[in-house]
Amino acid sequence: MVLDNANPTILSESELASHRQRRKGRDAGPKSQSIRDLLMAKPSYATMDPFYMSDFSETDSDDSTMEPIDEQEIYDLIAPISDPEHPTSLESLGVVKLQDVHLISPLDLTIPSALSRVIVELTPTVSHCSLATVIGLGVRVRLEQALPPSYRVEVKIKKDTHNQAEEVNKQLADKERVAAALENASLANILRTMMKPCEE
């Protein structure tokens, strides 16, 4: 396999904008499951559908006490996604940057049907990256899985960073193309591999 960028620049820990807290000291032994855990578990079909969102919550969802989602939280959701070509995160490669995550909230938050918009601009490691669409798809899927339904996600290539940015952006914005791509088994496997670090 020929790599688009065989020697990418990897950012140092001090250059990263992430504030994620990694869980330490995970239980090594098997966990016993309660009846509630079994009943509330994600159905098996949900692992195949990247757009599946559970209607269940671990806590009562009183929207009046919920803290609003900000750009940092959105960044922290996508930063650990693994690059499909290199065994490192999109954050470490500088593909996703905090300053390229934009959140546009509705003017009147009291209207329940008001939608927030999330715009993420990606910076490919090279201007001819053949996996830019796959990376964009991975970011879009991750955010659509993690954010509430009142958020609309737009992922695009940052201006002047890719030779075919217009075509990639058109593909990422087309819901039918995205849905068709997610039905492709090999692409779904690539996306699952990319998302594994997000589960840690």
Side-chain angles (χ1 to χ4, degrees):
M1 176 171 102
V2 177
L3 301 177
D4 280 343
N5 187 0
N7 192 18
T9 301
I10 299 175
L11 302 177
S12 71
E13 194 75 26
S14 64
E15 295 174 292
L16 304 178
S18 180
H19 291 266
R20 284 176 279 124
Q21 297 293 322
R22 297 204 187 272
R23 286 181 271 167
K24 301 201 184 218
R26 290 186 167 194
D27 297 333
K31 292 170 69 175
S32 63
Q33 290 187 321
S34 69
I35 300 280
R36 184 175 189 275
D37 292 337
L38 293 171
L39 291 174
M40 302 300 269
K42 185 185 274 192
S44 60
Y45 64 82
T47 59
M48 298 302 292
D49 181 2
F51 289 106
Y52 173 80
M53 294 180 68
S54 175
D55 291 330
F56 304 111
S57 171
E58 289 296 318
T59 60
D60 292 332
S61 61
D62 179 8
D63 291 342
S64 63
T65 61
M66 282 180 47
E67 190 175 310
I69 296 172
D70 63 6
E71 286 91 346
Q72 181 69 53
E73 288 178 273
I74 293 168
Y75 174 79
D76 288 345
L77 288 171
I78 60 176
I81 296 173
S82 178
D83 183 81
E85 231 178 9
H86 302 284
T88 189
S89 70
L90 297 182
E91 172 187 44
S92 297
L93 292 171
V95 175
V96 294
K97 299 173 185 163
L98 180 58
Q99 66 265 26
D100 294 334
V101 175
H102 311 284
L103 179 61
I104 302 165
S105 297
L107 297 176
D108 187 357
L109 295 172
T110 60
I111 301 172
S113 63
L115 299 175
S116 295
R117 285 182 58 213
V118 174
I119 301 170
V120 177
E121 295 178 298
L122 304 177
T123 305
T125 57
V126 290
S127 62
H128 58 277
C129 179
S130 62
L131 295 171
T133 306
V134 175
I135 293 169
L137 185 62
V139 170
R140 179 174 171 167
V141 167
R142 172 68 175 144
L143 291 176
E144 287 180 349
Q145 283 180 338
L147 294 174
S150 60
Y151 285 77
R152 292 295 171 256
V153 176
E154 182 181 338
V155 177
K156 57 186 178 181
I157 303 299
K158 194 170 185 174
K159 187 177 168 122
D160 300 326
T161 61
H162 194 277
N163 297 342
Q164 298 176 331
E166 190 175 321
E167 180 59 31
V168 172
N169 290 341
K170 189 184 295 184
Q171 290 177 359
L172 292 173
D174 187 334
K175 289 181 183 180
E176 290 178 9
R177 282 187 184 183
V178 169
L182 294 174
E183 291 177 6
N184 180 315
S186 62
L187 183 56
N189 284 333
I190 291 170
L191 292 174
R192 265 193 288 286
T193 302
M194 290 171 64
M195 299 300 164
K196 277 186 183 169
C198 299
E199 298 168 3
E200 295 175 358

